């Protein structure tokens, strides 16, 4: 099974999806006149100006703009930032990070479009404000085709995030804590970690948006702050190796063999593939997941929520993910032969001793658990769209089962499945984004002039 999924992913991610994702980002970047550069400062002011908006009056089901951003970042900042970055370095070489940066830069324009459309076409279902790609897909394509494409997207996102994606999160948490336990001769099976995660997740799932929003609003700044501080200390300890790390990234992007050596066999194509694929898994720009959170924001207008969304990609990729990358490269851990979360832990252990793997495991627990909450929420919206409110409880139980199963599987199979379903959900979302590109531009011009 693993080899079949690998072969499909190799074909899917080698050309088609790279063109779709980067092409969509370039399209919006040009049409919006490099909005990720022009409006970057304004986006920062909007994000940090929303820290104290909890008291605002909102419709049922809505969140403050900061809560919606925190929910989006909770989904984005997860395993991809600690494990995905390490996987990209091993599979695509340091050069993969350059392509990750490039795709994220264009992705900031893409996610602006996603958030704008999510706000523009949000609606009320069962008395709650909701929205996301299924709603703007049907605006982009009328009639039967639009209904079918929206349904296809809904199925893909439920599989990609609710089921397969959450297996990745629990798998990485289980692996991280197994490393901690094994190094101390403590025998606790990964499935035990999966069961604890499942119980905690189910408690929040049952509470719905009212319980989710306050949790992620508090968890995201805390978890990000702790990891940023620890990573910066590590990088400063190895600051002399920073120039060489940068050289490895830029040279490796176009000549991987000059960095990793001929025996490894990494090509430019693989550097691009793993850089873009792991970047997508991390920041989710163009994937169609975060618009569900941005649709629920009680935003002043769609343009403002779009600028807020841009900052989420910047925080995820250009800050948190980069900290993992430079922690690994400056510490020399890349030559350890380890992969996945064990590689990230090796970087911290080499500098902080036995505390290092505990630090990474705890950070990953917060990161991945918050992603589980966000991805369950995104899947839930699509379950409601397809099957109605009564199906949500069944969906939540299935997600819990996948969390437990995911903690027991081999890491390579879990990641290949995640890449496969992530790729599938990109296609209908990107088609709708491109079809509604004119709407995004009109909204940007209308409200952008008023800022």
């Amino acid at each position: 099974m693993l080899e079949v999924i690998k072969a499909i992913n190799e074909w899917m991610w080698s050309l088609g999806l790279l063109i779709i994702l980067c092409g969509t980002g370039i399209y919006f970047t040009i049409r919006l006149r490099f909005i990720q550069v022009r409006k970057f400062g304004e986006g920062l002011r909007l994000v940090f100006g929303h820290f104290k908006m909890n008291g605002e009056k909102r419709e049922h089901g809505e969140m403050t703009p900061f809560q919606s951003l925190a929910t989006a970042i909770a989904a984005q900042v997860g395993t991809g930032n600690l494990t995905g970055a390490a996987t990209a370095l091993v599979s695509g070489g340091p050069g993969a990070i350059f392509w990750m940066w490039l795709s994220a830069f264009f992705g900031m324009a893409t996610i602006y479009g996603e958030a704008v459309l999510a706000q523009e076409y949000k609606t009320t279902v069962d008395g709650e404000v909701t929205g996301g790609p299924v709603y703007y897909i049907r605006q982009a394509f009328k009639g039967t085709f639009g209904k079918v494409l929206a349904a296809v997207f809904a199925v893909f996102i439920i599989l990609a995030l609710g089921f397969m994606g959450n297996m990745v999160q629990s798998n990485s948490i289980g692996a991280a804590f197994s490393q901690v336990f094994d190094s101390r001769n403590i025998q606790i099976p990964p499935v035990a970690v999966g069961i604890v995660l499942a119980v905690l997740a189910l408690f929040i799932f049952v509470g719905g948006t009212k319980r989710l929003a306050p949790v992620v609003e508090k968890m995201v700044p805390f978890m990000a702050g702790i990891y940023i501080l620890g990573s910066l200390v590590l990088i400063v300890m190895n600051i002399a190796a920073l120039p060489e790390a940068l050289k490895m990234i830029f040279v490796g992007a176009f000549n991987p063999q000059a960095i990793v050596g001929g025996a490894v066999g990494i090509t430019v194509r693989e550097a691009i593939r793993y850089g873009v694929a792991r970047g997508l898994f991390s920041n989710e720009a163009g994937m169609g997941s975060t618009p569900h959170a941005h649709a629920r924001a009680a935003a002043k207008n769609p343009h403002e929520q779009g600028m807020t969304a841009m900052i989420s990609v910047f925080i995820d990729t250009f800050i948190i993910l980069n900290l993992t990358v430079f922690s690994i490269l400056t510490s020399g851990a890349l030559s350890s032969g380890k992969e996945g979360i064990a590689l990230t832990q090796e970087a911290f252990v080499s500098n902080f001793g036995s505390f290092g793997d505990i630090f990474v495991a705890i950070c990953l627990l917060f990161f991945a658990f918050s992603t589980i909450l966000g991805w369950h929420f995104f899947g839930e919206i699509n379950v409601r769209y397809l099957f109605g409110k009564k199906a949500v409880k069944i969906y939540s139980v299935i997600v819990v089962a996948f969390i437990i199963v995911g903690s027991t599987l081999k890491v390579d199979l879990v990641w290949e499945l995640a890449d496969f379903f992530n790729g599938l959900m990109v296609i209908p979302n990107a088609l709708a984004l491109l079809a509604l590109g004119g709407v995004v531009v009109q909204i940007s011009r209308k409200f952008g002039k008023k800022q």
Side-chain angles (χ1 to χ4, degrees), residues 166-211:
N166 280 331
M167 279 207 304
V168 169
Q169 306 303 325
S170 63
N171 182 273
S172 293
I173 295 174
F177 278 95
S178 289
Q179 174 74 18
V180 172
F181 296 142
D182 290 347
S183 65
R184 291 160 178 78
N185 295 317
I186 301 173
Q187 300 302 314
I188 297 179
V191 68
V193 177
I195 291 172
V196 172
L197 280 175
V199 172
L200 291 173
L202 187 60
F203 171 74
I204 298 176
F205 292 169
V206 172
T209 306
K210 289 182 179 179
R211 190 170 292 170

Side-chain angles (χ1 to χ4, degrees), residues 68-82 84 104 107-108 111-112 114 161 169 220 223 278-287 289-291 293-294 308-317 320-321 367-368 370-375 378:
S68 70
L69 177 73
T71 303
I73 293 178
Q76 292 167 308
V77 179
T79 299
N81 294 80
L82 277 74
M108 290 174 72
I111 210 167
Y112 170 89
E114 289 181 297
L161 301 189
Q169 306 303 325
V220 168
M223 70 182 188
R278 293 294 172 261
L280 170 67
F281 190 86
S282 179
N283 62 54
E284 303 180 33
M287 203 161 77
S289 52
T290 58
H294 295 299
T308 300
M310 287 193 316
I311 302 305
S312 70
V313 173
F314 180 81
I315 293 171
D316 172 86
T317 304
I320 298 177
L321 188 143
F367 281 10
S370 67
T371 300
I372 287 173
L373 300 183
W375 282 358
F378 299 160

Side-chain angles (χ1 to χ4, degrees), residues 7 30-31 51 57 82 91 99 108 123 126 140 163 183 199 216 234 242 272 280 287 308 330 385 431:
I30 294 172
R31 290 211 63 184
F51 269 109
K57 184 179 179 180
L82 277 74
S91 301
W99 300 109
M108 290 174 72
T123 186
D126 296 327
F163 300 157
S183 65
V199 172
V216 296
L234 188 155
L242 187 58
I272 296 173
L280 170 67
M287 203 161 77
T308 300
T330 59
Y385 173 80
L431 288 174

Side-chain angles (χ1 to χ4, degrees), residues 107-443:
M108 290 174 72
T110 303
I111 210 167
Y112 170 89
E114 289 181 297
V116 164
L117 293 175
Q119 274 284 313
E120 180 69 9
Y121 296 115
K122 66 182 180 181
T123 186
T124 302
V125 178
D126 296 327
E128 287 195 17
V129 174
T130 190
V134 290
Y135 296 100
Y136 60 69
I137 286 172
R138 292 187 62 174
Q139 292 292 328
F141 306 104
K142 304 294 184 181
T144 303
F145 180 72
K147 291 179 181 179
V148 171
L149 196 63
V152 166
F153 173 85
V155 171
F156 286 162
I157 192 172
I158 292 167
L159 292 172
L161 301 189
F163 300 157
M164 303 304 166
N166 280 331
M167 279 207 304
V168 169
Q169 306 303 325
S170 63
N171 182 273
S172 293
I173 295 174
F177 278 95
S178 289
Q179 174 74 18
V180 172
F181 296 142
D182 290 347
S183 65
R184 291 160 178 78
N185 295 317
I186 301 173
Q187 300 302 314
I188 297 179
V191 68
V193 177
I195 291 172
V196 172
L197 280 175
V199 172
L200 291 173
L202 187 60
F203 171 74
I204 298 176
F205 292 169
V206 172
T209 306
K210 289 182 179 179
R211 190 170 292 170
L212 169 70
V215 170
V216 296
E217 183 181 41
K218 295 175 178 64
M219 183 182 292
V220 168
F222 173 76
M223 70 182 188
I226 294 295
Y227 186 68
I228 288 170
L229 180 61
S231 300
L232 285 175
V233 171
L234 188 155
I235 293 168
V236 169
M237 290 171 66
N238 300 286
I239 195 69
L242 187 58
E244 180 62 24
L246 288 167
K247 177 184 175 182
M248 291 171 72
I249 291 171
F250 286 103
V251 173
F254 303 98
N255 186 12
Q257 300 306 313
I259 300 299
V260 299
V264 179
I266 295 174
T267 64
V268 173
R269 189 176 74 171
E270 287 172 317
I272 296 173
R273 177 206 161 177
Y274 284 102
V276 176
R278 293 294 172 261
L280 170 67
F281 190 86
S282 179
N283 62 54
E284 303 180 33
M287 203 161 77
S289 52
T290 58
H292 299 92
H294 295 299
R296 289 207 172 193
K300 186 177 178 182
N301 58 62
H303 170 66
E304 285 200 354
Q305 193 62 28
M307 288 191 293
T308 300
M310 287 193 316
I311 302 305
S312 70
V313 173
F314 180 81
I315 293 171
D316 172 86
T317 304
F318 291 104
I319 296 180
I320 298 177
L321 188 143
N322 270 349
L323 289 171
T324 300
V325 168
F326 287 110
S327 293
I328 293 172
L329 292 180
T330 59
S331 67
L334 189 58
S335 61
S336 67
K338 295 186 177 181
E339 58 184 29
I341 192 62
L343 176 57
T344 306
Q345 287 178 301
E346 176 64 24
F348 282 81
V349 168
S350 65
N351 286 268
F352 298 146
S354 60
F355 172 72
D357 58 356
I358 297 176
F359 175 79
V360 173
I362 291 174
C363 287
L364 182 66
L365 174 63
F366 280 104
F367 281 10
F369 185 68
S370 67
T371 300
I372 287 173
L373 300 183
W375 282 358
H376 170 272
F377 170 62
F378 299 160
E380 177 187 324
I381 292 172
N382 289 275
V383 167
R384 287 174 181 256
Y385 173 80
L386 289 176
F387 308 111
K389 190 175 182 179
K390 292 182 180 179
V392 171
K393 290 182 179 179
I394 297 173
Y395 161 73
S396 296
V397 171
I398 297 173
V399 171
V400 166
F402 271 86
I403 290 171
I404 296 172
V405 171
S407 65
T408 67
L409 297 180
K410 291 185 177 180
V411 64
D412 50 359
L413 175 60
V414 173
W415 276 99
E416 291 294 340
L417 286 170
D419 279 349
F420 175 68
F421 285 104
N422 284 346
L424 290 179
M425 63 185 280
V426 166
I427 299 169
N429 182 59
L431 288 174
L433 288 174
L434 293 172
L436 294 171
V439 175
V440 175
V441 173
Q442 288 175 4
I443 290 173

Side-chain angles (χ1 to χ4, degrees), residues 45-105:
R45 289 192 294 273
L46 281 169
V47 168
F48 293 106
H50 285 144
F51 269 109
K52 298 181 179 180
M53 290 186 66
N54 293 353
E56 286 193 354
K57 184 179 179 180
R58 305 184 301 279
E59 298 294 329
H60 184 51
E62 282 193 320
M63 306 174 181
T64 66
F66 180 72
Q67 285 177 334
S68 70
L69 177 73
T71 303
I73 293 178
Q76 292 167 308
V77 179
T79 299
N81 294 80
L82 277 74
T83 307
T87 305
L89 284 167
V90 171
S91 301
I97 305 307
F98 172 83
W99 300 109
M100 193 179 289
W101 292 344
L102 193 64
S103 64
F105 174 77

